[in-house]
Amino acid sequence: MSWLQAGAWLRRRAENVAAGLLAAMFLAFVIQIVFRYGFNFPVGWASELTVATWLWLVLFGSAFVLSEKEEIRFDLIYSAVGPRVRIGMAIASALALVVLYGASLKASFDYVSFMKVEKASYLKIRMDWMYSIYVIFLVAIIARYAWLLSRLLRGRDPEVGDVTKVSSGL
Amino acid sequence: MSIAFTLCLLAIVALSLLGLPIGHAMITGSVLYLWVKGIDLGIAAEQLLNGMYSSYLLLAIPLFILAAEFMNSGSIMDRLLRFCNALVGRWRGGLAHVNVVQSIIFAGMSGSALADAASSGKVMQSLMTRDGKYTPAFAAALTAVSSVIGPIIPPSIPMVLYALISDTSIAYLFLGGVIPGLLLGGVQMGLIAAAAKKRNFPVEAAVPLRELPRVTWEAFPALMMPVILFGLLYSGVTTPTEAAAAAAAYSLLVSAILYRSVSWGNVYKSLLGSARITISIGMLIAGALVFNYVVTVENVPKTVAAMFKAYELSPFTFMLLANIILLILGCFLEGTTILLVIVPVMLPTAAALGIDLVHFGVVVVVNIMIGLVTPPYGLLLFMMVKIGDVSLTELVKEVLPFLWVMLGALALMTLIPEIVLFLPKLFGYKG
């Protein structure tokens, strides 16, 4: 299996996780509604689970599922300029992101690990575990942009977004 | 305004212009602010995580998206189109009217204009341009402008976002959107009727009236969706988020059991598709949460409110000004960003001037939706350029007449709050 195939395989597994998280959120809601209105028996864990899946879905998905093409960006200028200018623009923005996300990594890790003093009220999960996805997200995004940066510096034209694939839900 | 804040704003604008995804641009700029100010950089993490974790209302967004995707995965679109065709196909310019009516009905199931255009765009385009009935540019323009109605008639994703930032009732916002949505559909159909003679639009073979009950019956479960949603919301039985979940469950059941058109593969596709949109919009929300912390620390909304107060604006002038600012921004910016970043700055002023926040909210949402079809930057335009395979210039030329009448409708609902507030008040909104 080549690196490319391995990457595609991993991406599909990441998609499985994202779809699974949304399915879990949906099912938790259905359970919550059935128990509360059907049996007059509120289930707190279900509503906590829905919020947890939402947080994880967004951060996990942003790190591992969304491709460069699907990101919501202001690409009026980005897609209109020639490849050389675009590479320059992408280098500048990727550099800024890597530096500033990198600078916030230690402090973010500290905040997340400090949250071990709290626990989710129903699920009994320690909040540092709950919030750990943010650190994973930061590391993954930094790695991704560092990788993009190395490609850009070798003169590879970055991908331009595909508008039919972009949706901000509006 | 501190130097750090100026730097932060400059960084966000510059990074966005350079093509960095907007969510990341907002987080990066905000981290820069914390850095320059010498504040703990972990605050970015704290704001983002706590904000996302505590915003239960936002969960309605993935659920509404999911409901629309489930509805779409079946044969529902075909049934709806047959129903619309039986209703208005017999008029001159029949298919053009069908396009609008379809959008109005679909608006009752979906909260997203882009989703509406993506799902019905291809079908409408091929139906309308077959045998040269309509020009591709006109068909694409019509799909773009009629999709605008989607999030104005409930459910509505931008209204969920507005409810979050303004602390207004989502149920009353939803009700407030009904008449404005129908009004927009009405002016569009009026324009089509006016153009039909001049441009010699074709008439479709009339569906005999005795067919109407059968066609309606076939589309009935789909037509019931908004009714169920409203029932749950206004009986106060469920929370808005639970109502969204029930809507998703209903559409899954309808597609699977009544229309027998859902396979496991389709369910997975719907889940993944909804997850992708959720992630995109979630990142914008995450970025806005971090940036709004900066805005609050800098006291921007209060400063702006004080500034407006110094000018002694009347509520009417403020509404006019807000509309103009939002429309201009809508020509250049992505709508969710405007809603999450610019509108919060306007809210304290609106409240101080005694403007009804439900009225303001609906006007803002209509405005932002119109922004999706205003050049040069309009996501619906870009999408229809691709789907309809037309040039942006041709498309914009056909969009413009619709844009003018929609702006007229927007002016009406700005001037006459009752257009928005009539239904909410009927259902007990005190204002």
Side-chain angles (χ1 to χ4, degrees), chain A residues 11-20 22-26 29-30 32-33 36-37 47-55 57-63 65-68 70-78 86 88-90 92-94 96-101 103-105 107-109 111-112 115 120-121 123 127 130-135 137-138 141 144-145 161-170, chain B residues 15-25 27-29 31-32 35 40-42 44-56 58-59 61-63 65-66 70 111-115 118 151 157-158 161 237-239 241-243 245-246 248-249 252 268 270-272 274-286 331-337 339 368-369 372 376-377 379 382-383 386-387:
Chain A
R11 168 148 288 181
R12 278 199 304 278
R13 296 297 81 78
E15 287 177 352
N16 294 157
V17 173
L22 187 58
M25 180 198 290
F26 177 51
F29 262 110
V30 171
Q32 183 184 327
I33 294 171
R36 170 145 6 133
Y37 303 105
S47 95
E48 214 164 62
L49 184 64
T50 57
V51 189
T53 48
W54 152 253
L55 177 69
L57 174 61
V58 172
L59 291 176
F60 176 88
S62 174
V65 177
L66 276 205
S67 68
E68 282 292 296
E70 294 166 290
E71 299 273 12
I72 299 173
R73 56 179 104 229
F74 181 81
D75 53 5
L76 215 52
I77 303 173
Y78 193 67
R86 181 160 49 233
M89 287 166 72
S93 63
L97 181 140
V98 170
V99 169
L100 285 161
Y101 275 26
S104 77
L105 189 56
S108 304
F109 180 80
Y111 170 72
V112 169
M115 288 303 284
S121 354
L123 293 173
M127 287 308 280
M130 185 75 87
Y131 281 0
S132 62
I133 186 65
Y134 185 74
V135 179
F137 159 82
L138 269 188
I141 295 289
R144 175 155 150 194
Y145 275 86
D162 177 351
V163 280
T164 52
K165 293 220 169 82
V166 174
S167 180
S168 60
L170 276 184
Chain B
L15 289 172
S16 305
L17 288 179
L18 287 173
L20 197 66
I22 295 169
H24 288 308
I27 300 177
T28 310
V31 170
L32 179 68
W35 205 7
D40 176 18
L41 295 186
E46 184 187 349
Q47 289 299 318
L48 190 154
L49 286 163
N50 287 338
M52 297 287 277
Y53 193 73
S54 60
S55 48
Y56 186 69
L58 286 178
L59 297 176
I61 294 173
L63 294 167
I65 297 172
L66 196 59
F70 280 152
S112 154
L114 292 163
I157 288 165
L161 292 174
V237 172
T238 63
T239 65
T241 321
E242 287 169 346
L252 181 62
Y268 179 75
S270 303
L271 280 169
L272 185 57
S274 310
R276 284 184 186 285
I277 303 175
T278 305
I279 297 162
S280 295
I281 189 168
M283 267 318 286
L284 284 183
I285 294 169
C331 292
F332 299 99
L333 288 179
E334 198 277 329
T336 315
T337 320
L339 198 50
I368 283 171
M369 287 304 116
L372 288 175
Y377 187 81
L379 285 177
F382 297 157
M383 188 173 255
K386 274 234 163 159
I387 294 177

Side-chain angles (χ1 to χ4, degrees), chain B residues 59-321:
Chain B
L59 297 176
I61 294 173
L63 294 167
F64 280 137
I65 297 172
L66 196 59
E69 289 264 343
F70 280 152
M71 268 288 170
N72 244 329
S73 61
S75 55
I76 289 164
M77 192 51 86
D78 299 337
R79 289 161 193 261
L80 272 186
L81 286 177
R82 272 202 298 279
F83 172 72
C84 296
N85 191 40
L87 277 185
V88 293
R90 65 193 75 235
W91 302 345
R92 182 158 291 282
L95 273 178
H97 289 295
V98 167
N99 196 338
V100 178
V101 174
Q102 177 274 130
S103 286
I104 292 175
I105 296 176
F106 198 72
M109 298 175 220
S110 143
S112 154
L114 292 163
D116 183 8
S119 60
S120 72
K122 252 191 208 127
V123 191
M124 276 322 302
Q125 193 71 18
S126 76
L127 277 178
M128 287 183 74
T129 55
R130 192 181 295 158
D131 312 323
K133 282 177 183 164
Y134 301 85
T135 64
F138 178 78
L142 190 57
T143 302
V145 294
S146 69
S147 299
V148 160
I149 300 168
I152 297 167
I153 293 180
S156 162
I157 288 165
M159 282 185 195
V160 174
L161 292 174
Y162 179 83
L164 181 84
I165 56 172
S166 66
D167 231 359
T168 38
S169 143
I170 186 80
Y172 289 134
L173 278 171
F174 275 10
L175 269 178
V178 174
I179 297 177
L182 294 175
L183 179 65
L184 282 181
V187 296
Q188 290 175 357
M189 288 173 78
L191 191 63
I192 294 168
K197 266 253 168 67
K198 210 165 61 187
R199 298 178 66 165
N200 199 20
F201 286 154
V203 184
E204 302 308 308
V207 179
L209 280 177
R210 62 187 145 75
E211 291 270 310
L212 198 59
R214 188 183 57 82
V215 178
T216 312
W217 177 248
E218 278 185 1
F220 185 72
L223 298 174
M224 279 307 286
M225 165 111 159
V227 179
I228 289 172
L229 187 68
F230 267 76
L232 289 174
L233 269 176
Y234 301 107
S235 58
V237 172
T238 63
T239 65
T241 321
E242 287 169 346
Y250 173 76
S251 48
L252 181 62
L253 284 179
V254 167
S255 303
I257 297 172
L258 287 170
Y259 293 159
R260 297 219 177 108
S261 52
V262 171
S263 62
W264 285 111
N266 275 339
V267 171
Y268 179 75
K269 243 175 80 185
S270 303
L271 280 169
L272 185 57
S274 310
R276 284 184 186 285
I277 303 175
T278 305
I279 297 162
S280 295
I281 189 168
M283 267 318 286
L284 284 183
I285 294 169
L289 281 169
V290 182
F291 179 62
N292 280 343
Y293 165 81
V294 176
V295 170
T296 316
V297 171
E298 287 285 319
N299 233 343
V300 177
K302 280 206 183 119
T303 317
V304 171
M307 205 172 78
F308 274 115
K309 207 169 179 195
Y311 285 116
E312 291 183 359
L313 283 184
S314 68
F316 171 74
T317 333
F318 172 78
M319 284 295 269
L320 191 73
L321 210 61

